[in-house]
Every structure is written in C-alpha cells, then in structure tokens.
Amino acid sequence: MKVSILDQSPVSSHQTPAEALKASMQLAKAGDKLGYERYWIAEHHDLSGLACSAPEVMLGYIGAQTNTIRIGSGAVLLPHYKPYKVAETYNMLATLFPGRIDLGIGRAPGGSAEATNALSDNFLQQVFKMPELVEELLQFLDDKFPAEHEYAKLSASPLPPVSPEPWLLGTSKKSAELAARNGMAYTFGQFMSEQDGSAIIDQYKQAFQPRQGGDQPYAIVTVSVICAETTEQAHLIATSSLVWKIQQDKMEAKGVPSIEEAASYPLTEEEEKKIKKMKEAMIIGNPEEVHERLQEVQARYGADELMLVTITHDPADRLKSYELIAEKCKK
C-alpha cells in the first residue's frame, strides 16, 4: 500500500509557530526514513493554529534536509496567484531537488475574507477562471505555448531536468472533471468532505484525457488518521484535534489543546454529537485496526495511494502514529 503525508503544520497550545514549523520539518525527515511516498504541506492564511502560509518556503527548507521522499504543496491556492510565478517557483524547487517536486493546486481561499482581499483582487472572478489558470500553468510547466501566443518565447526559468508533477486537489465533481480534462493526477480530500468520493474518483478515471503520451489517471484519497499502540490511547489522543475543531467553529481556537485541556473543555449536547460524527469520518485505532480501515478505504475508492493527515497536540504522538502505520503498510 502506498501511503503519503499531508501536513497542515498545526500549532499546539503552549507552542510557537517556529516550533510548529520545526516539527513539520522533523515529520518530513521521518517520512523520508520510513518510506512514505510523498510529503505535502498545506497553505493557510491567518488561520489560528495553522503555521504555514508559504509552502514554497518550507519546501526549500525541507528539501535540503530530506533525500528521496517527494515533497510538494497541498495545495497552492491558484486563484491568488499568477500561473507564471507559481511555475517559476516550483521549477526552481525542481531544479534544486530533481525528480522530487509535486505541485498540488487548489481553488480554496485558505483563510478569511479579509485575508483573501489582502492576498488578491477579484478572487471570485479568478475562481471562475480556474480552468484557464490551470491550462496556463501547465503550459508554463511544459514550456509549450502555441507559436502565436504572447508567452510563446517566455520560459518559467530555471527549467529543471524533471518538471514538477502537477496535481489537482479537490472535493467535488468539478475538480475531478478539471483534473481529467487536463490529464492531471487527482487528490480527493475525503477528510474535509461529505461527498461520495468513490463516485467522484470513478468519474475522474473514466473521463481522463492524457496530457502527454503514456499518461494514466492516478488518484489519491486523503484521510484523517490517528494511530497509537492501543485503541484507547488513540481515542484519547484524538480528543485534542476533535475539541480543537469545535473551538475553531466557535472562533475560540488558539492552538491544538492538550489532552487535559480538551478533556476539561465544556461541551454542549450538540457539540458531543458533532464530535461523534467527526470520529466516524476519521480512522482512529491501534495499528491493526488502522491498517484494516485503510485497506477498506483504498478498496472502496479505488485509490492508487492514500494520504494521511494527523493532528495531535504532542508532535511526538503524531510521529508515533506515522511510524506505526508505516510498520504495517510497508510490510
């Protein structure tokens, strides 16, 4: 089973953003040693408890301290940016770390309305232009515009020996259609969706149109997972991220609470129901249980690979979760 890491670079209570970003680097190094396929880091803006606003900066830091694991963005929020600058940035990373760079693209704002306005003009119009933005970005990555195009003589230099691999990330039929139409690999974010992901991935694979000779559809499903030595321990550790989500919804979150802080947080009856529903959408358990559930997810979705997002208060618990999963999945 191919497994990868999605890191949202969470900031825990009593932790600084610098400490959270260093923990992200340590997670990437661990993933490299444990044999994970790829490590992606997410882009968020002015969201309490999430430290990474610039994946491209972190990837330079992480690439210099890892060896073979593919590294990338999960995702660059393309409506905020010009495709040319995105292509330049990831071509430079691919020049520094040949054959290891993934360029994941998304359309979400990644933050509040105020952050969106500060980042870009006419964001909604840019979202509507997403198909054109994706096409232009791919042409820059391929260094291939029609002769009559105004960018025909323009390159997103430096041109790397191996181009970044473009991915489209999404949670809808629209994103799957866009990925298929452009011959891109596709990642479905099951951990943040209530959509029927299996139907969406089926649609993607059936509609796939190769961008280059030999291209085949390739789908990743991203799931929320917490693994520990025992089932009870895993559920206890999961309390932090579950209560943190409740706090986020109420605009009270400042960082992922400790297990003790989460246990003492007063929950309403409605919030207890929300947590129960969230737990049903997660994979929480000991290594055997988690491995079995991951196999079920892979089979149900027809996924070529699974990507795991794990949020805990203690970075050591997060590392241990990925270690235990790697031991089972890499046998």
Side-chain angles (χ1 to χ4, degrees):
M1 178 187 296
K2 291 184 177 181
V3 286
S4 293
I5 297 169
L6 174 63
D7 182 11
Q8 295 184 312
S9 203
V11 184
S12 296
S13 61
H14 316 300
Q15 187 186 45
T16 67
E19 289 168 336
L21 292 171
K22 288 177 182 176
S24 287
M25 182 270 290
Q26 293 296 339
L27 175 59
K29 289 177 70 173
D32 195 25
K33 292 177 182 177
L34 292 167
Y36 279 88
E37 299 293 320
R38 62 193 88 233
Y39 166 95
W40 288 357
I41 190 162
E43 175 182 331
H44 294 96
H45 300 283
D46 193 37
L47 287 182
S48 179
L50 298 175
C52 184
S53 57
E56 63 275 18
V57 174
M58 281 298 293
L59 293 175
Y61 177 51
I62 285 167
Q65 300 189 57
T66 52
N67 298 304
T68 59
I69 192 170
R70 294 191 66 91
I71 57 175
S73 55
V76 170
L77 306 178
L78 191 57
H80 287 313
Y81 310 113
K82 285 282 194 175
Y84 180 56
K85 181 57 179 175
V86 174
E88 280 188 323
T89 298
Y90 282 81
N91 273 353
M92 187 162 181
L93 286 166
T95 299
L96 290 168
F97 312 112
R100 294 179 55 202
I101 300 299
D102 292 331
L103 171 50
I105 303 159
R107 73 173 85 216
S112 66
E114 292 81 4
T116 296
N117 290 337
L119 277 164
S120 55
D121 296 324
N122 303 317
F123 177 79
L124 287 178
Q125 289 89 330
Q126 292 300 102
V127 169
F128 293 136
K129 288 174 60 179
M130 188 73 172
E132 291 87 351
L133 295 175
V134 168
E135 182 180 359
E136 186 175 305
L137 177 59
L138 292 175
Q139 287 174 311
F140 276 124
L141 292 178
D142 294 339
D143 197 31
K144 194 175 181 180
F145 280 91
E148 66 278 8
H149 197 283
E150 66 171 310
Y151 298 151
K153 296 181 180 180
L154 180 64
S155 291
S157 58
L159 297 179
V162 181
S163 293
E165 182 177 357
W167 292 74
L168 196 67
L169 283 64
T171 57
S172 67
K173 289 183 178 180
K174 185 179 288 187
S175 60
E177 288 169 358
L178 186 58
R181 187 164 66 249
N182 286 282
M184 300 171 70
Y186 180 62
T187 302
F188 179 77
Q190 185 273 330
F191 75 105
M192 54 189 292
S193 173
E194 295 182 358
Q195 298 289 320
D196 182 0
S198 59
I200 290 172
I201 288 177
D202 283 345
Q203 173 189 341
Y204 158 72
K205 290 188 174 182
Q206 290 171 12
F208 185 84
Q209 300 174 27
R211 188 167 110 255
Q212 299 174 353
D215 283 353
Q216 297 291 327
Y218 194 93
I220 287 179
V221 173
T222 305
V223 291
S224 179
V225 182
I226 292 179
C227 185
E229 295 282 4
T230 68
T231 305
E232 294 74 19
Q233 187 180 7
H235 280 272
L236 189 63
I237 291 169
T239 307
S240 293
S241 62
L242 291 163
V243 169
W244 184 51
K245 183 64 173 70
I246 296 293
Q247 293 173 333
Q248 285 178 311
D249 292 344
K250 295 165 70 174
M251 305 295 288
E252 295 178 358
K254 294 183 179 178
V256 183
S258 67
I259 294 171
E260 295 75 20
E261 289 168 336
S264 64
Y265 184 80
L267 294 168
T268 66
E269 185 176 342
E270 186 61 31
E271 288 167 348
E272 293 277 10
K273 291 178 181 177
K274 279 186 181 180
I275 284 181
K276 183 179 179 181
K277 188 174 182 180
M278 284 190 285
K279 288 178 79 170
E280 290 171 355
M282 297 172 66
I283 297 175
I284 306 171
N286 64 45
E288 290 287 347
E289 292 166 335
V290 168
H291 185 237
E292 183 178 342
R293 287 284 307 281
L294 289 175
Q295 288 179 314
E296 290 171 359
V297 169
Q298 184 172 31
R300 184 167 76 250
Y301 284 86
D304 299 290
E305 187 176 322
L306 297 177
M307 184 167 276
L308 318 180
V309 55
T310 298
I311 293 180
T312 65
H313 170 79
D314 189 339
D317 289 331
R318 183 170 59 159
L319 281 175
K320 188 64 176 178
S321 180
Y322 283 110
E323 287 171 1
L324 292 170
I325 293 169
E327 288 172 6
K328 293 296 295 185
C329 291
K330 293 299 180 181
K331 283 184 178 178

